[in-house]
Amino acid sequence: MAAFRELGLAPWLVEQARQMGLSRPTPVQASCIPPILQGESRDCLGCAKTGSGKTAAFVLPVLQVLSEDPYGIFCLVLTPTRELAYQIAEQFRVLGKPLGLKDCVVVGGLDMVAQALELSRKPHVVIATPGRLADHLRSSNTFSLKKLKFLVLDEADRLLEQGCADFTADLEVILEAVPARRQTLLFSATLTDTLNELKSLAMNRPFFWEAASEVRTVDELDQRYLLVPEAVKDAYLVHLIQTFQDEHEDWSIIIFTKTCKECQILNMMLRKFSFPSVALHSMMKQRQRFAALAKFKSSIFKILIATDVAARGLDIPTVQVVINHNTPGLPKIYIHRVGRTARAGRNGISITMVTQYDIHLVHAIEEEIKLKLQEYSVEEKLVLDILNHVNITRRECEIELEYMDFDEKKEINKRKQMILEGKDPDLEEKRKAELAKIKKKNNKFREKVQQTLQEKKQLQMKRKLQKKMERRNKLHAKEEK
Ligand SMILES: Nc1ncnc2c1ncn2[C@@H]1O[C@H](COP(=O)(O)OP(=O)(O)OP(=O)(O)O)[C@@H](O)[C@H]1O
């Protein structure tokens, strides 16, 4: 593998990388840095496994080009979560220190006025979540992205996905504000599904690089599943954590849950068992989210319980274990979740809890990652011993949470968010109800059509069969004559 300086990077940048512990480029860096350095006419799509150094693969060449002609705003990085935006900003800051790099993080949940002021001071690099940046573009004209040289989409497939947090409308606003002549860099561990959409964004002789590997997860990751009945999941979880705590001196675990409520309940429950845990989910205030992550990163708290808001990109080298409290519905989400451990060549283990209803999801995951998960065995008796205690504790937490009006708060938060987005919550609700009605009607209609088609098909088959029988009878009659 070539050294960093052979990739065309300046000595000061190579030295800066070395100081950060990056002495030799990883494959994604070695492959993507030279084409990015070729300049304006070359876009780049980099697809490499989790923890393989994709961030430096774009930060280093951007800094190199910036150092040759520094001005603001030179580069815009878009990323799906607020925590990830700060993590990327840190890499820019550390690697770009000799340049006196000015960066600006623009994410939701924080003061918009302060952000607008920072943007107006022309930072070299803006790292943003699409929603908040689009809000700034819609509401102010104190900054311009028209001279931008680089547009980076980190976790690009997530940004283009149309899921519960749909970025497409915001991306449209942003793409209108950036110049057509620019270099677009797209990175993720899971680019292939959305490749066509991504290519329409990166049209300048796109250089596409994908790590040559059949298996889509890293070799250093020991991937297990644990078959558990739904009703006793939490007893297994407590048992797993207790075992790690007893057997390891230095340990750190991320537990992924399906919903914010589940995340909150598990955190309350684990704390009642005196485990050092913190929660991270989208219903928390942004300051609480940052504080929780900081406590986990500094190992004050050894357990992070999170929703998929923490599934992508977060780089916390000390994480040795990922527990999936629910089996992810999409293989892609599984890949990103388990990728929070076994990063940059370290070992790690992931344990996915699988109930009787989730077997098909495991098969889909195995098919996608091209690897069979191995069973994780536990001593059932030890789990049975704590079962009652765990179930009673969980029930207590559920009752406590009801008193805290968690669901109501969720509803209020949703309405607040709509107001912030300039929507009328009541109108939106009406619209949603109407849409649901139409959907139901359409579904009924579709079912009816399908039923009619089925009946028609059956009738045709019946007729065919009848004709066949008639022909055969006639033949028999002829033969008998
Ligand atoms: N050349 C290198 N040598 C050693 N370590 C490196 C190198 N490049 C990056 N790293 C380290 O590897 C870790 C993972 O890097 P990074 O977060 O960029 O991964 P990623 O590919 O973006 O992962 P994900 O898909 O999960 O976002 C970081 O701690 C980073 O400092």
Side-chain angles (χ1 to χ4, degrees), residues 21-22 24 26 29 50-55 155 313 315 340 343-344:
L22 323 184
R24 293 198 74 77
T26 61
Q29 292 160 1
T50 52
S52 61
K54 293 185 287 295
T55 319
E155 306 295 345
D315 181 53
R340 293 319 98 213
R343 298 176 69 74

Side-chain angles (χ1 to χ4, degrees), residues 4 20-26 28-29 48-58 84 87 91 154-155 188-189 311-317 336 339-340 343-344 346:
F4 273 119
M20 259 188 81
L22 323 184
S23 42
R24 293 198 74 77
T26 61
V28 64
Q29 292 160 1
K49 292 178 185 180
T50 52
S52 61
K54 293 185 287 295
T55 319
F58 64 81
L84 208 44
Q87 189 179 291
Q91 287 232 17
D154 187 40
E155 306 295 345
S188 175
R312 280 179 181 253
L314 288 188
D315 181 53
I316 308 164
H336 288 282
R340 293 319 98 213
R343 298 176 69 74
R346 292 182 195 84

Side-chain angles (χ1 to χ4, degrees), residues 145-261:
L145 299 173
K146 278 286 171 234
K147 287 197 182 135
L148 195 95
K149 205 150 203 176
F150 282 102
L151 172 67
V152 184
L153 269 68
D154 187 40
E155 306 295 345
D157 55 326
R158 174 67 194 91
L159 291 172
L160 292 185
E161 220 170 57
Q162 293 175 348
C164 52
D166 196 335
F167 297 114
T168 37
D170 298 323
L171 277 182
E172 259 173 46
V173 173
I174 295 167
L175 288 174
E176 256 176 47
V178 297
R181 256 175 80 105
R182 59 164 195 260
Q183 235 177 311
T184 309
L185 316 179
L186 311 172
F187 284 90
S188 175
T190 49
L191 279 186
T192 14
D193 305 352
T194 36
L195 207 56
N196 285 335
E197 290 96 313
L198 293 166
K199 277 190 175 154
S200 65
L201 258 182
M203 290 185 295
N204 298 330
R205 288 196 301 135
F207 169 80
F208 175 61
W209 188 80
E210 187 172 18
S213 166
E214 169 88 341
V215 178
R216 301 195 56 195
T217 45
V218 296
D219 297 341
E220 293 80 5
L221 177 64
D222 181 7
Q223 302 181 65
R224 304 294 186 110
Y225 72 89
L226 180 61
L227 213 51
V228 289
E230 180 72 48
V232 295
K233 236 183 186 181
D234 293 334
Y236 276 84
L237 181 70
V238 170
H239 172 71
L240 279 179
I241 299 172
Q242 189 64 54
T243 315
F244 278 111
Q245 185 167 289
D246 295 345
E247 290 177 359
H248 298 84
E249 279 253 314
D250 187 22
W251 58 283
S252 178
I253 302 178
I254 298 186
I255 301 165
F256 283 106
T257 63
K258 194 173 177 181
T259 62
C260 299
K261 191 172 178 179

